[in-house]
Amino acid sequence: MVTITEGAVVALLAGGVFFGLVAAVGLLRLPDLYTRTHAASKTDTLGAGLTLAAVAVVYDAGLPTVKAGLLLVFLLITNPTAAHAIARAAADQGIEPWTAEDGGDEQ
Amino acid sequence: MTSGRLLVPVSESVALRNTVAYAVRHVVESKAAEGAVHFVYPYSPQMVTGMDTSGVDELLERVEVWADDDLGDDAGAVDVQTAVIGAGEYLFSPGDYADVLAEYGEREDLETVVLDPEFSPSGTTPLLPPLEAELERAGFEVLEAPVERPTRRARLVRGGNVGQFLLVAALSFGFYLLIGGSLSTFDLVTGGLSGVIVATVLWRVCFSGPVRPGRLLKRIGRMSVYTFYLVWEIVIANLQIAYVVLHPRLPIDPKMVEFDAAVWSEIPVTTLANSITLTPGTLTVDVDSQSFTVHSLTAGARDDLFSGGLERAVRFVFYGRAAARIPSPRERGEEGSDDGGAES
């Protein structure tokens, strides 16, 4: 018998795994640094966020829930900052972004 | 004001490559009809005993190659010349250097001098500030090539008051207890000590202005509303990106776009930049005061960006409800500038 809590935890974890997977697939399939940064930084944020939400649900209303919430906040602040740092460093190096016109031979 | 005819004294220096690039860029950007850069080596046989002129020629040759490199397609529009000046004269004081430079500059009709920040033909003597003054007196406009990309930043350490100190200490103390999860005497004491240490170090860094509790609480309230909105946006946009990434044909259309955001001051701009990055499909690449360079993955993401939902929400958080009604980037006509590309 699956309780509501267990169901919620499973659903959240499944979502977290799904978006983590999407991030990995995006990292492999996308053509250049900028687009890959998109995949690596953000789909990941939601994936990690859902996983943390699952943790919070498991511990109900205890202290670990608060900590999970704090972790989520830090993730939301640091993840885009890191992505921005990478993209900006790339732009400073003069790396041109890939555009649809460059492609076409994408296999 | 910016002149297209430059005089650049050169000597062996670590910043020379940079200076050449700066001078060439300056001329190209001035779009002068008769753009010219003259690289001159103030050379005095008396100064450098036993030195061979081949070193000087080699240096000037190198400079010329660099300049041609930097000019690229504009090579025809700008006249690049190199020369050794001051041969046979006794160059010692900054005044001597200024004299030979001024003489050459007047002969060649040059109005602006670009100085290498590391320019020191006479070895270790600090020459630059007096030389700059002498040249300005001789009627030249003097520019100093920046050592690196110019950065503008506000002062990190600001004035503070007791209220700020106490607030930082209290927040640190509270955070310590929250993470520790106990209220034993030991934790209370160590937490108090940590709070005071943190506050001592950081109280003048943490706030951008005096604390006004009322306004702060209001902002925190609006910030929590904003967080829910942001999370919702993140979820929606993530689903879109998941669709794009998993789609067999990978229907992406990445593009750099630039726009001026209608938010002001540090924290709101940072919040908006980070929110843009968090919302999948858009990635803030660079921010220069209000001007954002954003890399967007799909046309849909660009659309969302220009309809300005996030921008409006950030204004709501920091300036209240009235500011949310400022027109979106699309209505302001910012959308036209999406051919920016990634320059430099």
Side-chain angles (χ1 to χ4, degrees):
Chain A
M1 180 67 197
V2 179
T3 64
I4 295 176
T5 316
E6 281 169 356
V9 169
V10 168
L12 286 170
L13 281 180
V17 169
F18 172 74
F19 283 108
L21 193 70
V22 167
V25 171
L27 205 56
L28 288 173
R29 289 195 71 195
L30 291 169
D32 77 338
L33 183 142
Y34 296 101
T35 47
R36 284 183 171 154
T37 311
H38 282 281
S41 63
K42 291 162 303 187
T43 338
D44 228 23
T45 311
L46 188 59
L50 288 173
T51 313
L52 280 174
V55 171
V57 172
V58 168
Y59 285 103
D60 216 2
L63 194 61
T65 308
V66 179
K67 288 184 187 169
L70 283 174
L71 280 178
L72 189 56
V73 170
F74 294 141
L75 262 182
L76 286 181
I77 296 172
T78 52
N79 238 345
T81 309
H84 168 64
I86 293 171
R88 180 173 164 153
D92 277 357
Q93 294 286 314
I95 297 176
E96 295 283 329
W98 183 95
T99 56
E101 292 94 69
D102 299 349
D105 54 351
E106 206 263 323
Q107 279 296 321
Chain B
M1 183 65 204
T2 54
S3 151
R5 299 181 64 79
L6 303 187
L7 174 61
V8 189
V10 293
S11 69
E12 199 59 67
S13 102
V14 287
L16 184 57
R17 179 70 191 90
N18 187 34
T19 304
V20 171
Y22 173 80
V24 168
R25 196 165 62 236
H26 191 84
V27 172
V28 171
E29 276 169 12
S30 75
K31 296 202 167 56
E34 296 185 308
V37 195
H38 291 234
F39 296 100
V40 297
Y41 191 102
Y43 167 67
S44 156
Q46 294 94 328
M47 276 302 304
V48 199
T49 40
M51 112 158 242
D52 50 332
T53 25
S54 67
V56 176
D57 292 341
E58 193 260 341
L59 177 80
L60 286 176
E61 228 164 74
R62 205 159 15 122
V63 166
E64 207 168 345
V65 170
W66 284 338
D68 281 345
D69 246 24
D70 292 336
L71 278 171
D73 298 338
D74 298 308
V78 178
D79 177 27
V80 177
Q81 298 212 11
T82 57
V84 179
I85 58 170
E89 303 212 17
Y90 183 73
L91 298 180
F92 185 73
S93 72
D96 300 339
Y97 281 98
D99 284 345
V100 291
L101 286 171
E103 192 193 316
Y104 179 89
E106 269 154 30
R107 197 169 63 234
E108 300 288 337
D109 189 27
L110 307 170
E111 302 129 27
T112 306
V113 179
V114 172
L115 289 179
D116 185 319
E118 300 286 328
F119 178 68
S120 69
S122 57
T124 51
T125 333
L127 185 65
L128 217 50
L131 179 60
E132 203 173 323
E134 293 281 345
L135 283 170
E136 267 169 358
R137 198 160 51 205
F140 289 94
E141 184 194 359
V142 179
L143 302 171
E144 190 170 316
V147 182
E148 53 195 38
R149 235 165 65 106
T151 50
R152 288 174 300 114
R153 49 173 65 112
R155 277 172 58 228
L156 190 60
V157 178
R158 303 178 174 89
N161 57 31
V162 184
Q164 291 180 12
F165 184 88
L166 289 179
L167 188 58
V168 176
L171 283 176
S172 315
F173 183 54
F175 189 68
Y176 187 95
L177 293 182
L178 186 66
I179 295 296
S182 92
L183 292 173
S184 66
T185 320
F186 178 77
D187 278 329
L188 287 176
V189 172
T190 51
L193 276 177
S194 308
V196 169
I197 291 171
V198 168
T200 311
V201 176
L202 295 178
W203 67 297
R204 301 204 308 163
V205 178
C206 284
F207 300 99
S208 55
V211 179
R212 270 158 283 181
R215 212 174 69 166
L216 196 64
L217 282 179
K218 230 186 234 170
R219 267 192 194 176
I220 289 174
R222 289 198 295 243
M223 196 62 143
S224 24
V225 176
Y226 174 69
T227 308
F228 281 108
Y229 168 75
L230 185 63
V231 167
W232 176 245
E233 285 285 308
I234 290 173
V235 171
I236 295 291
N238 254 305
L239 288 172
Q240 286 168 2
I241 294 305
Y243 168 79
V244 167
V245 165
L246 299 178
H247 193 286
R249 278 191 295 105
L250 202 64
I252 56 170
D253 177 23
K255 211 182 250 178
M256 283 282 187
V257 294
E258 288 174 22
F259 73 105
D260 287 330
V263 292
W264 306 268
S265 78
E266 293 165 38
I267 305 284
V269 167
T270 312
T271 311
L272 178 60
N274 265 5
S275 304
I276 286 174
T277 303
L278 266 181
T279 324
T282 47
L283 175 65
T284 310
V285 174
D286 208 349
V287 179
D288 186 7
S289 60
Q290 295 178 27
S291 154
F292 282 65
T293 306
V294 176
H295 186 265
S296 57
L297 194 56
T298 61
R302 273 197 290 286
D303 256 16
D304 287 350
L305 181 66
F306 285 122
S307 59
L310 277 177
E311 193 193 272
R312 191 160 288 168
V314 170
R315 276 201 300 271
F316 165 71
V317 171
F318 289 96
Y319 312 115
R321 192 164 301 170
R325 281 195 283 275
I326 292 176
S328 69
R330 174 170 295 135
E331 289 151 9
R332 292 200 304 270
E334 291 289 349
E335 201 176 6
S337 61
D338 68 357
D339 54 355
E343 63 266 53
S344 79

